[in-house]
Amino acid sequence: MIDTQGSAVKVDAPESARSGHDRTTVVKKALLLMLGYFVLAGFGMSLATAPVYAAPIWPAAGVALFGLLVWGARYWPAVFVAAWASDLLHKLFVANTEVLADTVLMTGITAIGSTLQALLGAKWLRPLASGYAAVEDESRVFYRLLLAGPVACMIAASLGNLTMYLLQGVPPQLLGASWL
C-alpha cells in the first residue's frame, strides 16, 4: 500500500489470515508428531517378546517427549491419538485380538499412560532445555533427569501392567519382567 506521501506502508495480514497460518502449522506439527510416534511404536512393538509381549525399548516415547518439549504441551492430543491408534491397530491386525470393549479400554488407558509420561517428562526437562539457572546446579540437573527419565517412564509401564492384570488376567509373576 502507498500512503499519501508516496511512501510504501507495510500492511499486516488480517487476523483471520494469520490465525489460519497458525492453525495450519499446528496441524502439520501434530500430524508429524503422530506419524513419528506411530512409525516408532510399530518398530517398538516388533521388538516385543512373549509371554506378555512387552517391548524392551519404546522409541516412540522419545518422539512424544521431543514433540511436547519443543512444540509445547498443547500437542498432547497428538501423542494420545497416536499412542491409542498404534496400540489398537497392532492388537487388531498383528496380534489378531478381537474388537472388544476391554481391548479398546486397555489401549486407551495405555495411551493415557504414554501421554502422561511425555507430558511430565517435558515439564520436568523444560527448565534444562530453556537454559534456566537450574542447569548450573548439578544436583538439580540430576534430579530433573531422574524425574524425566526413569520416573516418567514408570507411569506408562505401570498403567500398562495394571491394565494387563485387570483386563487380560495376566498373572502377577509375569508382570515384573514386562514392567522393566
Side-chain angles (χ1 to χ4, degrees), residues 8-79:
V9 176
K10 181 181 174 189
V11 177
D12 288 334
E15 183 63 35
S16 61
R18 283 194 306 258
S19 64
H21 174 70
D22 291 343
R23 260 184 263 134
T24 302
T25 302
V26 167
V27 169
K28 285 180 183 177
K29 287 179 180 178
L31 290 173
L32 184 62
L33 181 56
M34 286 190 290
L35 178 65
Y37 190 100
F38 195 84
V39 168
L40 290 177
F43 173 70
M45 287 182 217
S46 73
L47 302 174
T49 57
V52 291
Y53 294 97
I57 61 168
W58 195 249
V63 169
L65 177 63
F66 173 82
L68 299 185
L69 185 61
V70 173
W71 293 332
R74 71 179 180 172
Y75 288 92
W76 72 263
V79 173

Side-chain angles (χ1 to χ4, degrees), residues 81-143:
V81 168
W84 180 73
S86 62
D87 193 18
L88 182 64
L89 292 174
H90 180 269
K91 284 184 179 10
L92 297 178
F93 296 114
V94 177
N96 296 318
T97 306
E98 289 185 57
V99 180
L100 299 172
D102 67 335
T103 304
V104 175
L105 179 62
M106 186 170 122
T107 56
I109 292 170
T110 303
I112 289 170
S114 297
T115 305
L116 286 174
Q117 173 181 322
L119 277 168
L120 290 173
K123 177 183 177 176
W124 291 329
L125 284 178
R126 192 161 287 116
L128 300 180
S130 300
Y132 290 136
V135 177
E136 296 173 12
D137 182 5
E138 292 85 9
S139 64
R140 285 186 167 184
V141 171
F142 180 74
Y143 175 71

